[in-house]
Amino acid sequence: MFGCICAGRPGKPLPRLPNLPDLLLTSQVQTNLQAVSETEFVFSLPSPSTLNHLVVFLLPDTIIPPTHGATVHIRFPGRTDFQLLGAISANKPSAIFRVRDIPDSTTEEGECILGISVALAEVVETALATLNTGNGAMVLAKKQPVLGVNEKAILAKRIIGHAFNYLGSFSKDFGTGDGEVVPMRAFREWWSKFETRLQRDPAFLEREEV
């Protein structure tokens, strides 16, 4: 249903698979999504001191109706409360959150919990309004220098555009009527190069030439 990328630090080791580049064995893509209920999901994020930006997105086979959305929350080790980061929806299928500068985010080791809750659009809008006004437990999330809505949209489009431009040359039409197909090998090669560049130059996505 949902995917998560932890930019700026490696994720949990992936099992060794044929033709999988060594760089992807410590991929930043989180694959440990757990369903708490029919509408609530969590990721466990180890090593909170190495977290920088989180990218949360809908997987291609996931459909959220226009009447609903999904709020994104984080809970750091040693804390009992979740802090609202933002939301994604069918109209905004991905979002980037800066978590490094949240107060007390790296004071204890352990695992962060990233929570995703699917709810009616009205509930999501109410939660986001609370985030914007800085009421209650949302204050800590508000005080961090998060990217603006326009900046997040631009970065998300650049990541997608970067992948599309690279993978487009690998697409093939096998005449089955299912459209063009891109081999997984090409995606792995793109991710390997994308991750290497991100580690070498974390700010490259913020420049227009991407």
Side-chain angles (χ1 to χ4, degrees), residues 54-113:
L54 293 178
V55 182
V56 180
F57 54 94
L58 296 175
L59 295 178
D61 59 347
T62 300
I63 298 177
I64 292 184
T67 55
H68 288 67
T71 52
V72 181
H73 311 254
I74 193 167
R75 188 183 72 192
F76 292 103
R79 300 190 64 91
T80 59
D81 58 315
F82 277 87
Q83 300 176 42
L84 178 65
L85 296 177
I88 57 177
S89 64
N91 293 328
K92 183 187 176 185
S94 64
I96 302 173
F97 308 105
R98 181 178 176 85
V99 297
R100 171 170 289 182
D101 296 327
I102 297 178
D104 301 325
S105 62
T106 60
T107 56
E108 295 189 33
E109 286 302 319
E111 285 192 334
C112 287
I113 301 298

Side-chain angles (χ1 to χ4, degrees), residues 45-60:
L45 307 179
S47 304
S49 61
T50 62
L51 288 174
N52 188 354
H53 289 82
L54 293 178
V55 182
V56 180
F57 54 94
L58 296 175
L59 295 178

